[in-house]
Protein backbone atom coordinates (compact mmCIF):
# COMPACT_ATOMS: atom_id res chain seq x y z
CA UNK A 1 0.00 0.00 0.00
CA UNK A 2 2.88 2.38 0.72
CA UNK A 3 4.11 2.07 -2.83
CA UNK A 4 0.62 2.81 -4.11
CA UNK A 5 0.37 5.95 -1.94
CA UNK A 6 3.75 7.18 -3.21
CA UNK A 7 2.63 6.51 -6.80
CA UNK A 8 -0.62 8.39 -6.23
CA UNK A 9 1.31 11.39 -4.96
CA UNK A 10 3.78 11.26 -7.85
CA UNK A 11 1.00 11.01 -10.47
CA UNK A 12 -0.97 13.84 -8.87
CA UNK A 13 2.03 16.16 -8.79
CA UNK A 14 2.92 15.41 -12.41
CA UNK A 15 -0.61 16.31 -13.49
CA UNK A 16 -0.60 19.53 -11.45
CA UNK A 17 2.64 20.63 -13.13
CA UNK A 18 1.14 20.00 -16.57
CA UNK A 19 -1.85 22.20 -15.76
CA UNK A 20 0.38 25.00 -14.40
CA UNK A 21 2.41 25.36 -17.56
CA UNK A 22 4.80 28.33 -17.64
CA UNK A 23 3.62 31.62 -19.15
CA UNK A 24 5.66 34.70 -20.16
CA UNK A 25 6.15 37.16 -17.28
CA UNK A 26 5.33 34.66 -14.53
CA UNK A 27 7.79 32.40 -12.75
CA UNK A 28 6.09 29.19 -11.59
CA UNK A 29 7.52 27.73 -8.35
CA UNK A 30 6.28 24.17 -7.81
CA UNK A 31 5.52 22.85 -4.30
CA UNK A 32 7.68 25.11 -2.08
CA UNK A 33 7.89 24.13 1.58
CA UNK A 34 10.20 26.89 2.88
CA UNK A 35 10.35 30.64 2.10
CA UNK A 36 13.87 30.47 0.62
CA UNK A 37 12.67 28.03 -2.06
CA UNK A 38 10.81 30.97 -3.63
CA UNK A 39 13.19 33.49 -5.27
CA UNK A 40 13.00 37.13 -4.09
CA UNK A 41 12.96 38.93 -7.44
CA UNK A 42 11.07 41.82 -9.09
CA UNK A 43 9.07 39.45 -11.32
CA UNK A 44 5.67 37.89 -10.80
CA UNK A 45 5.97 34.52 -9.07
CA UNK A 46 3.22 31.92 -8.76
CA UNK A 47 3.93 29.34 -6.07
CA UNK A 48 1.85 26.20 -6.53
CA UNK A 49 1.39 24.67 -3.09
CA UNK A 50 1.30 20.92 -2.56
CA UNK A 51 -2.25 19.55 -2.63
CA UNK A 52 -2.11 18.68 1.07
CA UNK A 53 -1.41 22.36 1.92
CA UNK A 54 -5.01 23.04 1.05
CA UNK A 55 -7.54 25.69 2.08
CA UNK A 56 -9.04 23.01 4.30
CA UNK A 57 -5.90 23.01 6.44
CA UNK A 58 -5.99 25.80 9.03
CA UNK A 59 -2.19 26.17 8.90
CA UNK A 60 -2.04 26.98 5.18
CA UNK A 61 -2.75 30.73 5.27
CA UNK A 62 -0.20 31.21 8.07
CA UNK A 63 2.38 29.28 6.04
CA UNK A 64 1.69 31.52 3.02
CA UNK A 65 1.98 34.66 5.15
CA UNK A 66 5.41 33.48 6.33
CA UNK A 67 6.56 32.75 2.77
CA UNK A 68 5.47 36.22 1.63
CA UNK A 69 7.25 38.05 4.44
CA UNK A 70 10.42 35.99 4.87
CA UNK A 71 13.28 34.98 2.64
CA UNK A 72 15.96 32.87 4.27
CA UNK A 73 17.09 34.62 7.44
CA UNK A 74 15.97 38.10 6.32
CA UNK A 75 12.74 39.77 5.25
CA UNK A 76 11.47 39.41 1.67
CA UNK A 77 11.81 42.58 -0.42
CA UNK A 78 9.42 41.73 -3.25
CA UNK A 79 6.43 40.61 -1.18
CA UNK A 80 3.88 41.85 -3.64
CA UNK A 81 5.40 39.85 -6.50
CA UNK A 82 4.19 36.60 -4.97
CA UNK A 83 0.94 34.78 -5.66
CA UNK A 84 -0.04 31.33 -4.42
CA UNK A 85 -2.24 28.73 -6.09
CA UNK A 86 -3.92 26.68 -3.36
CA UNK A 87 -6.01 23.50 -3.63
CA UNK A 88 -9.45 23.43 -2.06
CA UNK A 89 -8.91 19.92 -0.74
CA UNK A 90 -6.68 17.05 -1.82
CA UNK A 91 -9.12 14.13 -1.37
CA UNK A 92 -10.72 14.31 -4.84
CA UNK A 93 -7.32 14.63 -6.52
CA UNK A 94 -5.98 11.53 -4.78
CA UNK A 95 -9.14 9.67 -5.67
CA UNK A 96 -8.90 10.48 -9.38
CA UNK A 97 -5.17 9.63 -9.44
CA UNK A 98 -5.91 6.31 -7.73
CA UNK A 99 -8.53 5.45 -10.40
CA UNK A 100 -6.16 6.34 -13.21
CA UNK A 101 -3.37 4.19 -11.74
CA UNK A 102 -5.80 1.28 -11.32
CA UNK A 103 -6.78 1.40 -15.01
CA UNK A 104 -3.10 1.73 -15.93
CA UNK A 105 -2.30 -1.40 -13.88
CA UNK A 106 -5.04 -3.37 -15.64
CA UNK A 107 -3.64 -2.28 -19.00
CA UNK A 108 -0.09 -3.29 -18.02
CA UNK A 109 -1.02 -6.64 -16.51
CA UNK A 110 -4.03 -7.92 -18.40
CA UNK A 111 -4.17 -6.31 -21.83
CA UNK A 112 -2.82 -9.44 -23.53
CA UNK A 113 -5.68 -11.56 -22.16
CA UNK A 114 -8.49 -9.24 -23.36
CA UNK A 115 -10.55 -9.49 -26.52
CA UNK A 116 -10.96 -6.54 -28.91
CA UNK A 117 -14.15 -5.22 -27.30
CA UNK A 118 -12.60 -5.29 -23.84
CA UNK A 119 -9.46 -3.59 -25.12
CA UNK A 120 -11.48 -0.78 -26.68
CA UNK A 121 -13.40 -0.40 -23.43
CA UNK A 122 -10.16 -0.33 -21.43
CA UNK A 123 -8.66 2.35 -23.71
CA UNK A 124 -11.79 4.48 -23.26
CA UNK A 125 -11.76 4.06 -19.48
CA UNK A 126 -8.09 5.00 -19.33
CA UNK A 127 -8.68 8.09 -21.46
CA UNK A 128 -11.62 9.13 -19.30
CA UNK A 129 -9.59 8.66 -16.11
CA UNK A 130 -6.81 10.86 -17.53
CA UNK A 131 -9.33 13.54 -18.47
CA UNK A 132 -11.03 13.33 -15.05
CA UNK A 133 -7.73 13.81 -13.20
CA UNK A 134 -6.81 16.83 -15.34
CA UNK A 135 -10.23 18.45 -14.79
CA UNK A 136 -9.95 17.71 -11.09
CA UNK A 137 -6.71 19.73 -10.91
CA UNK A 138 -8.43 22.70 -12.60
CA UNK A 139 -11.45 22.41 -10.28
CA UNK A 140 -9.39 21.95 -7.12
CA UNK A 141 -6.81 24.73 -7.54
CA UNK A 142 -9.48 27.42 -7.53
CA UNK A 143 -7.88 29.64 -4.86
CA UNK A 144 -5.26 32.33 -5.36
CA UNK A 145 -3.70 33.98 -2.32
CA UNK A 146 -1.80 37.27 -2.49
CA UNK A 147 -0.99 40.37 -0.48
CA UNK A 148 -3.86 42.89 -0.42
CA UNK A 149 -3.43 46.67 -0.28
CA UNK A 150 -3.86 46.53 3.51
CA UNK A 151 -0.74 44.30 3.71
CA UNK A 152 -2.76 41.22 4.77
CA UNK A 153 -3.18 38.02 2.77
CA UNK A 154 -6.30 37.91 0.63
CA UNK A 155 -7.94 34.87 -0.95
CA UNK A 156 -9.34 35.15 -4.47
CA UNK A 157 -11.85 32.39 -5.26
CA UNK A 158 -11.80 31.71 -9.00
CA UNK A 159 -15.18 29.96 -8.82
CA UNK A 160 -15.98 26.96 -10.99
CA UNK A 161 -12.92 26.42 -13.15
CA UNK A 162 -12.46 24.04 -16.08
CA UNK A 163 -9.76 23.44 -18.68
CA UNK A 164 -11.70 24.95 -21.60
CA UNK A 165 -11.35 28.42 -20.04
CA UNK A 166 -7.63 28.89 -20.84
CA UNK A 167 -4.61 27.03 -22.21
CA UNK A 168 -2.98 27.03 -18.78
CA UNK A 169 -4.07 27.65 -15.22
CA UNK A 170 -1.38 30.36 -15.01
CA UNK A 171 -3.00 32.23 -17.92
CA UNK A 172 -6.43 31.92 -16.29
CA UNK A 173 -5.12 33.31 -12.98
CA UNK A 174 -3.32 36.23 -14.67
CA UNK A 175 -6.42 37.10 -16.72
CA UNK A 176 -8.64 37.05 -13.64
CA UNK A 177 -6.24 39.20 -11.59
CA UNK A 178 -6.00 41.66 -14.48
CA UNK A 179 -9.79 41.99 -14.48
CA UNK A 180 -9.64 42.67 -10.73
CA UNK A 181 -6.88 45.30 -11.16
CA UNK A 182 -4.32 43.28 -9.17
CA UNK A 183 -2.11 42.88 -12.25
CA UNK A 184 -1.55 45.54 -14.91
CA UNK A 185 0.29 45.45 -18.23
CA UNK A 186 1.41 49.04 -17.68
CA UNK A 187 0.65 52.21 -15.70
CA UNK A 188 0.19 55.87 -16.55
CA UNK A 189 2.70 58.61 -15.83
CA UNK A 190 0.07 60.25 -13.60
CA UNK A 191 0.02 57.12 -11.43
CA UNK A 192 3.76 57.63 -10.76
CA UNK A 193 3.24 61.30 -9.97
CA UNK A 194 0.36 60.53 -7.56
CA UNK A 195 2.37 57.83 -5.79
CA UNK A 196 5.69 59.67 -5.69
CA UNK A 197 7.36 59.01 -2.29
CA UNK A 198 7.07 62.31 -0.36
CA UNK A 199 10.63 62.03 0.94
CA UNK A 200 12.14 61.89 -2.60
CA UNK A 201 12.86 64.71 -4.98
CA UNK A 202 14.45 62.15 -7.28
CA UNK A 203 13.40 58.52 -7.66
CA UNK A 204 15.76 56.05 -9.32
CA UNK A 205 14.29 54.12 -12.27
CA UNK A 206 15.21 50.80 -10.63
CA UNK A 207 13.39 51.81 -7.42
CA UNK A 208 10.33 52.79 -9.44
CA UNK A 209 10.27 49.36 -11.06
CA UNK A 210 10.92 47.59 -7.75
CA UNK A 211 8.03 49.39 -6.03
CA UNK A 212 5.53 47.55 -8.25
CA UNK A 213 6.73 44.23 -6.85
CA UNK A 214 7.49 45.33 -3.28
CA UNK A 215 4.60 47.60 -2.28
CA UNK A 216 1.06 46.21 -1.99
CA UNK A 217 -0.18 49.77 -2.70
CA UNK A 218 0.98 49.37 -6.31
CA UNK A 219 -0.52 47.00 -8.87
CA UNK A 220 1.69 44.10 -9.94
CA UNK A 221 3.19 44.47 -13.40
CA UNK A 222 3.13 41.62 -15.88
CA UNK A 223 6.38 43.04 -17.26
CA UNK A 224 8.59 45.26 -15.08
CA UNK A 225 10.16 46.78 -18.20
CA UNK A 226 6.84 48.48 -19.04
CA UNK A 227 7.91 51.09 -16.44
CA UNK A 228 10.42 52.30 -19.06
CA UNK A 229 7.51 53.12 -21.40
CA UNK A 230 5.76 55.03 -18.59
CA UNK A 231 8.89 57.08 -17.80
CA UNK A 232 9.63 57.77 -21.48
CA UNK A 233 6.05 59.02 -22.03
CA UNK A 234 6.25 61.21 -18.93
CA UNK A 235 9.56 62.79 -19.99
CA UNK A 236 8.41 63.37 -23.58
CA UNK A 237 5.21 65.07 -22.39
CA UNK A 238 6.97 67.27 -19.82
CA UNK A 239 5.53 65.60 -16.70
CA UNK A 240 8.78 63.97 -15.55
CA UNK A 241 12.43 64.88 -15.89
CA UNK A 242 14.95 62.11 -16.66
CA UNK A 243 18.47 62.72 -15.40
CA UNK A 244 21.77 60.97 -14.86
CA UNK A 245 23.69 61.73 -11.67
CA UNK A 246 27.32 62.69 -12.05
CA UNK A 247 29.29 63.90 -9.06
CA UNK A 248 27.61 67.14 -8.05
CA UNK A 249 25.19 67.73 -10.91
CA UNK A 250 22.73 66.07 -13.26
CA UNK A 251 23.92 64.89 -16.65
CA UNK A 252 22.16 64.24 -18.96
CA UNK A 253 19.05 66.25 -18.09
CA UNK A 254 16.06 65.45 -20.30
CA UNK A 255 12.68 67.10 -19.88
CA UNK A 256 9.88 67.70 -22.36
CA UNK A 257 11.83 66.25 -25.30
CA UNK A 258 11.62 62.85 -26.95
CA UNK A 259 12.99 59.92 -24.94
CA UNK A 260 12.64 56.32 -26.12
CA UNK A 261 11.84 53.50 -23.69
CA UNK A 262 15.04 51.73 -24.78
CA UNK A 263 17.09 54.71 -23.50
CA UNK A 264 15.65 54.49 -19.97
Amino acid sequence: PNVAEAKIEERTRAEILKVFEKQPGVQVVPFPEKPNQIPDRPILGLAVLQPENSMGDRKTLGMIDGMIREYGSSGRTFKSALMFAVADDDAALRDEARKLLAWQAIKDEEEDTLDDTQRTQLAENLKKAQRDLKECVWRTYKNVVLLAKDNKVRVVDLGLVHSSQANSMVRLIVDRLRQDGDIETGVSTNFLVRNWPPAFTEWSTKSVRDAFFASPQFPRLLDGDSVKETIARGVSSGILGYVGKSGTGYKPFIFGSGLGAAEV
Side-chain angles (χ1 to χ4, degrees):
N2 288 346
V3 177
E5 283 302 315
K7 279 192 164 171
I8 287 167
E9 193 172 306
E10 190 185 322
R11 191 69 194 79
T12 307
R13 286 177 172 224
E15 197 57 51
I16 292 166
L17 290 183
K18 264 195 261 176
V19 169
F20 282 91
E21 235 179 333
K22 288 186 174 67
Q23 293 286 320
V26 183
Q27 181 181 27
V28 178
V29 184
F31 316 127
E33 291 173 32
K34 299 189 183 86
N36 62 356
Q37 291 171 327
I38 307 171
D40 190 17
R41 295 172 57 207
I43 177 175
L44 286 181
L46 179 65
V48 183
L49 290 192
Q50 304 180 73
E52 55 268 32
N53 298 134
S54 67
M55 292 305 287
D57 182 346
R58 287 205 304 271
K59 296 195 292 285
T60 298
L61 285 180
M63 172 186 165
I64 289 173
D65 195 69
M67 286 180 164
I68 285 175
R69 297 183 200 286
E70 292 152 28
Y71 180 65
S73 57
S74 58
R76 185 177 291 277
T77 304
F78 301 109
K79 298 182 186 68
S80 198
L82 275 192
M83 306 171 289
F84 292 79
V86 187
D88 231 24
D89 178 88
D90 67 336
L93 274 173
R94 299 180 79 79
D95 210 32
E96 295 298 349
R98 189 178 281 114
K99 281 183 209 163
L100 175 55
L101 288 168
W103 285 116
Q104 191 68 55
I106 293 170
K107 179 176 165 38
D108 295 345
E109 291 158 25
E110 299 174 30
E111 192 170 27
D112 297 344
T113 65
L114 304 177
D115 61 31
D116 287 352
T117 312
Q118 289 170 320
R119 274 186 191 165
T120 306
Q121 188 61 54
L122 175 61
E124 279 173 17
N125 287 339
L126 198 53
K127 218 173 182 172
K128 181 179 183 303
Q130 281 167 334
R131 208 168 46 236
D132 288 349
L133 177 56
K134 177 184 172 180
E135 286 305 329
C136 190
V137 174
W138 281 82
R139 253 197 336 272
T140 304
Y141 274 87
K142 66 194 269 295
N143 306 288
V144 182
V145 181
L146 37 73
L147 207 54
K149 283 188 168 37
D150 64 2
N151 208 27
K152 294 191 178 107
V153 292
R154 174 163 69 92
V155 181
V156 178
D157 186 336
L158 300 172
L160 190 60
V161 182
H162 41 86
S163 66
S164 58
Q165 289 171 269
N167 64 352
S168 156
M169 195 73 182
V170 183
R171 169 59 47 214
L172 181 96
I173 288 170
V174 167
D175 287 349
R176 169 61 191 274
L177 293 178
R178 278 179 62 185
Q179 282 170 17
D180 294 354
D182 289 308
I183 291 178
E184 299 285 355
T185 47
V187 291
S188 69
T189 307
N190 286 331
F191 178 88
L192 285 190
V193 174
R194 281 199 312 274
N195 289 279
W196 201 273
F200 293 178
T201 44
E202 57 202 32
W203 195 4
S204 85
T205 49
K206 181 176 175 297
S207 301
V208 175
R209 192 245 356 240
D210 288 356
F212 287 91
F213 300 97
S215 164
Q217 295 299 322
F218 285 42
R220 295 151 184 83
L221 287 176
L222 198 50
D223 177 9
D225 278 352
S226 66
V227 167
K228 293 179 177 180
E229 299 278 351
T230 306
I231 293 170
R233 280 199 309 273
V235 172
S236 303
S237 57
I239 298 172
L240 300 175
Y242 180 72
V243 301
K245 285 187 82 169
S246 57
T248 51
Y250 292 131
K251 197 177 173 190
F253 187 100
I254 306 168
F255 178 73
S257 62
L259 176 72
E263 298 167 74
V264 175

